[in-house]
Amino acid sequence: MDIDARTLRTFREVTLTGSFTQAARRLGYSQSSVTAQMRALERQVGEPVFERLPNGVRLTHAGTVLCDYARQILTLVSDMEAALRRPAANPPRLTVGIVPALAYGQQLARVTHIGRRLLSGVQLALRVMGTAEVHDAFRSGAIDGALVLTVVDEEDPAVFLGDPTPTERADDLTEIRLQEVEFVPVTSVGTRRGGLGRQVVIADPDCPSQRWLPEFLRLRCDSPPEIHELGSMAGVRAATQSGLGCAMLPMALAASHQEAGGLRPLPGVPRMRWNASLVHARPDTRPALDWQNLTETLRQATALGCALRPGEPATPTGTVDVLEGPALDPDPSIAS
């Protein structure tokens, strides 16, 4: 028995409509063509598959058996067609998690634009997630890699910029250091001196860039600050501008708003730097070229985010820069 898919599709339409005429209309065939196909089908089956009625047709026992198999065969044909189209219509997906401290609007736009150029033929999907969620996302297979912030260790030779050697991590992840990102402590221009350092706005309690300021202020002041967790850098920036508290913002995000008069440096608190790192799982089945291009995409995007503004003096890598302004009132019992 050699029944082609075209004949099975016609047979299915006849069973759905109960009429050769209606099936022909839906398929764009002539009624005589549908009739000829069904007669040829019945010759191959060896017995009638339809019972002719005054107002249409209905399945015989043989037709009912054939109908079930036709449905399965046509489903497989449809799946095959979709699979053969997938390389062109659905490029391979590379899903990358990004921690909130690096997921502000301009940074996401830079990753997307550079990724379109360097990751040709790959669909780059970005997922904003908290630092604590990254490991769970790797375990569940929800992400292929993650852009995170890690602590700069000057004694670790792998942290130097441009070092291509990945760092092996105890949790079976590979970390590739991309760029040091500078963060600046800021507050609203309208915040009074008495309120400085009493409230801190953060995006991600497990990110080193967001943990640092509350801890610094706890050691410098009489009591731990009140913490407001907002989950995004856009929310942190807006809340800080509104006078809710102070925050550590990436320099690129804080700079334009400082110039616009909405934010000012938090006096007596140093700028800090953390590593922007690509982390991915091992062993990996993706082509090496995908990882090379993703690494370069994130390296370029974070480097652009760290670009100095015109006229801004450079700060040596690996150092902190204390912002100008009167110092916070320290707790005399704590050495600064």
Side-chain angles (χ1 to χ4, degrees):
M1 188 179 298
D2 185 15
I3 305 174
D4 59 66
R6 177 173 176 268
T7 299
L8 289 178
R9 288 193 179 98
T10 302
F11 169 74
R12 182 180 61 182
E13 287 299 325
V14 174
T15 63
L16 292 173
T17 61
S19 165
F20 285 6
T21 303
Q22 293 297 323
R25 185 176 295 116
R26 291 178 61 170
L27 292 169
Y29 299 156
S30 65
Q31 181 176 344
S32 60
S33 174
V34 171
T35 301
Q37 287 185 58
M38 294 304 95
R39 285 176 178 171
L41 176 63
E42 289 179 322
R43 285 197 296 272
Q44 288 186 300
V45 172
E47 58 181 296
V49 295
F50 292 112
E51 180 182 352
R52 275 66 173 176
L53 303 174
N55 296 321
V57 296
R58 67 184 177 191
L59 291 170
T60 63
H61 173 72
T64 301
V65 173
L66 178 62
C67 183
D68 184 57
Y69 282 102
R71 178 184 57 79
Q72 297 179 56
I73 292 170
L74 291 174
T75 297
L76 287 173
V77 171
S78 178
D79 291 346
M80 177 186 69
E81 292 172 343
L84 292 174
R85 288 194 303 267
R86 188 163 294 136
N90 299 301
R93 177 189 293 264
L94 187 59
T95 304
V96 178
I98 301 184
V99 294
L102 294 172
Y104 54 95
Q106 300 98 316
Q107 184 66 34
L108 292 175
R110 283 189 286 265
V111 173
T112 301
H113 282 296
I114 298 172
R116 287 183 62 189
R117 174 168 53 86
L118 297 182
L119 287 162
S120 178
V122 176
Q123 180 183 355
L124 180 60
L126 305 180
R127 300 285 183 269
V128 180
M129 58 182 59
T131 301
E133 299 176 76
V134 169
H135 295 280
D136 290 338
F138 274 120
R139 281 194 291 268
S140 67
I143 59 174
D144 300 296
L147 179 60
V148 301
L149 285 171
T150 57
V151 176
V152 175
D153 183 356
E154 295 183 3
E155 296 182 357
D156 182 353
V159 305
F160 293 135
L161 293 180
D163 188 339
T165 305
T167 302
E168 302 295 331
R169 297 166 59 98
D171 49 11
D172 203 36
L173 298 176
T174 297
E175 177 185 342
I176 303 174
R177 311 291 174 89
L178 304 172
Q179 180 79 28
E180 286 185 10
V181 180
E182 186 173 37
F183 281 72
V184 56
V186 295
T187 188
S188 169
V189 293
T191 302
R192 295 182 179 180
R193 176 167 172 75
L196 288 177
R198 301 304 180 185
Q199 298 185 83
V200 182
V201 189
I202 66 173
D204 178 3
D206 299 294
C207 179
S209 74
Q210 302 298 285
R211 291 197 312 258
W212 184 85
L213 184 57
E215 180 63 15
F216 178 88
L217 295 175
R218 184 187 70 81
L219 294 174
R220 291 290 302 271
C221 301
D222 296 333
S223 59
E226 181 181 356
I227 297 176
H228 305 280
E229 182 182 341
L230 299 186
S232 74
M233 295 311 287
V236 167
R237 184 194 63 206
T240 304
Q241 284 181 294
S242 71
L244 182 60
C246 56
M248 287 293 279
L249 294 181
M251 176 59 77
L253 181 61
S256 60
H257 293 271
Q258 285 181 268
E259 292 169 348
L263 297 172
R264 66 184 175 94
L266 185 63
V269 184
R271 301 180 186 186
M272 294 292 292
R273 292 188 175 192
W274 285 273
N275 287 313
S277 299
L278 168 63
V279 178
H280 64 86
R282 309 188 315 274
D284 179 57
T285 59
R286 297 192 65 89
L289 184 60
D290 284 358
W291 288 121
Q292 294 171 10
N293 289 337
L294 177 62
T295 301
E296 186 59 26
T297 293
L298 298 179
R299 190 187 302 277
Q300 289 188 25
T302 52
L304 287 172
C306 295
L308 293 174
R309 292 171 291 158
E312 182 180 9
T315 301
T317 299
T319 66
V320 298
D321 180 18
V322 179
L323 299 172
E324 295 180 357
L328 292 172
D329 294 329
D331 183 341
S333 64
I334 301 175
S336 59

